[in-house]
Amino acid sequence: VPFAGWSLPLHYEQGHLQSHLHTRRCCSLFDVSHMLQTRVYGRDRVKFIESLVAGDIAELKPGQGTLTLLTNENGGIVDDLIVTNTSEDHLYVVSNAGCADKDLGVMRERAAELQAAGSDVYLEVSDNALLALQGPSMARVLQAGLSDDLAKLSFMSSVSTTVFGVSGCRVTRCGYTGEDGVEISVPAGQAVELAERLLSAPEVWLAGLAARDSLRLEAGLCLYGNDIDETTTPAEAGLMWTLGKRRRAALDFPGAAIIMAQVKEKPKRKRVGLTSAGPPIRPHAAILGPEGTPVGTVTSGCPSPSLGKNIAMGYVEAAHSRTGTALTVEVRKKQHPAIITKMPFVPTQYYMAK
């Protein structure tokens, strides 16, 4: 299927349902090379990135990464990124494919402004491929090809290493499924070789875009362009945890004053989870209150393969956002009961080193 200018596999021979459940039980390999990978060099690289994002990048230890938000002057979310402070001499940034051109434009413009003012910063777009190995068997499969001890690599930590003989790889313990997993940035010319080596383990299956979407929804994770965009703020999206304490106090990122005022006054709408019976809930479906009046909109939805019921995410008026609230959703002009449900729908299995 077309996705952000790329042609991506929706599913492989096993089909969506089996692929999804296999990722939860064993391990799947996703080709996520469509993501934008950027390296930021220079003495002022942290100052540069913190002028664009709301996270506390300065506090990251070498090899540590964080999910952060690129915001605009209105407090809207331009993109969600993972920024890693590498043990080498740069920051490593992974952006969404659908925002690649936009993000790169924002970063290049800001870098040019800082350079003109005498700052030492420059960007390099990586042409590496990106492979995501996700699921409870990941550590066993990958450890066989690593000299580094995976037991020491915590969630959101990253190491530059050789993987199954392929040098110049960066392994980051993260992913978009809610399972223990890694994303491996690998030189493009050796991506197929590494993928085939990983797939030689019988428990590793290839997985496509359909499983990636249902897995991330079960994990309560946002899809940019559906659940967050430039019209949603971190306060509305329930993503205030991505804002560093120091950054909140300093109000030194785009839209900071608007976002913090919204936190103080409480946002008028909130991102929530929903479960329902009946037909699957899809994006753009209306969410209705007790009187049958619209109180919100669904932004993501699918039948959950793990739970055997419909799950969805959307925005509702704050008055209707409490967990356990009974609402209705409109599917094909018919109303079906729905309940506001805590997220993640399926418990996450992120690995924390002892």
Side-chain angles (χ1 to χ4, degrees):
V1 293
F3 182 83
W6 296 73
S7 181
L8 295 186
L10 199 58
H11 56 81
Y12 292 86
E13 59 188 335
Q14 289 87 5
H16 169 216
L17 182 66
Q18 295 93 323
S19 182
H20 176 112
L21 294 173
H22 184 81
T23 310
R24 291 269 182 254
R25 292 171 190 148
C26 293
C27 189
S28 294
L29 182 67
F30 300 79
D31 180 359
V32 290
S33 304
H34 54 290
M35 308 281 276
L36 173 69
Q37 301 176 69
T38 315
R39 301 185 190 101
V40 187
Y41 293 89
R43 192 176 54 251
D44 299 308
R45 59 189 181 270
V46 171
K47 175 178 131 184
F48 158 76
I49 205 78
E50 285 197 348
S51 72
L52 298 173
V53 305
D56 191 341
I57 308 306
E59 76 166 4
L60 294 175
K61 299 181 180 75
Q64 188 181 14
T66 186
L67 178 75
T68 188
L69 304 174
L70 188 64
T71 51
N72 62 27
E73 293 302 335
N74 299 319
I77 301 169
V78 177
D79 196 8
D80 56 323
L81 319 166
I82 290 180
V83 177
T84 300
N85 177 22
T86 71
S87 301
E88 293 77 36
D89 57 349
H90 64 278
L91 298 173
Y92 169 59
V93 183
V94 179
S95 317
N96 286 304
C99 301
D101 294 343
K102 176 174 71 169
D103 289 4
L104 210 47
V106 168
M107 289 196 285
R108 281 176 171 157
E109 186 181 343
R110 184 65 181 134
E113 285 170 7
L114 287 174
Q115 287 160 357
S119 289
D120 176 33
V121 63
Y122 65 99
L123 305 177
E124 184 184 276
V125 176
S126 169
D127 62 357
N128 275 13
L130 195 63
L131 301 175
L133 190 65
Q134 301 282 304
S137 307
M138 178 280 296
R140 188 171 70 251
V141 170
L142 190 62
Q143 189 60 74
L146 282 185
S147 54
D148 301 80
D149 184 1
L150 266 177
K152 293 178 180 168
L153 194 71
S154 265
F155 179 60
M156 295 309 289
S157 296
S158 179
V159 64
S160 183
T161 187
T162 297
V163 184
F164 286 107
V166 178
S167 58
C169 293
R170 171 163 298 284
V171 175
T172 306
R173 200 157 199 163
C174 68
Y176 199 43
T177 62
E179 295 297 326
D180 182 22
V182 291
E183 289 184 354
I184 308 167
S185 180
V186 52
Q190 289 170 286
V192 172
E193 176 192 333
L194 180 56
E196 286 176 344
R197 185 67 184 77
L198 292 167
L199 289 164
S200 69
E203 67 255 59
V204 182
W205 290 6
L206 276 167
L209 203 61
R212 189 168 150 82
D213 193 49
S214 53
L215 288 158
R216 69 92 193 166
L217 183 52
E218 287 185 348
L221 301 173
C222 294
L223 173 63
Y224 192 87
N226 280 44
D227 311 301
I228 48 174
D229 58 29
E230 293 193 34
T231 69
T232 51
T233 68
E236 293 170 333
L239 294 173
M240 288 303 295
W241 60 270
T242 65
L243 274 65
K245 191 177 174 186
R246 171 177 63 84
R247 308 302 309 280
R248 294 180 191 218
L251 298 175
D252 60 350
F253 56 90
I258 291 171
I259 293 165
M260 294 315 296
Q262 200 177 56
V263 171
K264 202 172 175 183
E265 293 154 14
K266 302 286 186 256
K268 293 183 172 63
R269 61 175 189 151
K270 287 185 178 177
R271 178 172 65 95
V272 295
L274 295 159
T275 52
S276 77
I281 319 173
R282 300 296 184 192
H284 313 299
I287 304 170
L288 310 174
E291 287 80 45
T293 51
V295 295
T297 308
V298 171
T299 53
S300 286
C302 72
S304 163
S306 303
L307 302 175
K309 58 184 170 185
N310 302 321
I311 58 171
M313 201 186 283
Y315 285 82
V316 298
E317 293 168 8
H320 300 279
S321 65
R322 191 184 292 274
T323 300
T325 301
L327 299 169
T328 55
V329 287
E330 198 168 81
V331 183
R332 293 192 287 276
K333 298 189 177 171
K334 288 187 179 172
Q335 293 181 21
H336 301 273
I339 302 283
I340 301 275
T341 308
K342 264 189 184 170
M343 294 184 287
F345 299 101
V346 172
T348 52
Q349 305 295 332
Y350 305 132
Y351 173 81
M352 300 300 171
K354 306 267 186 298

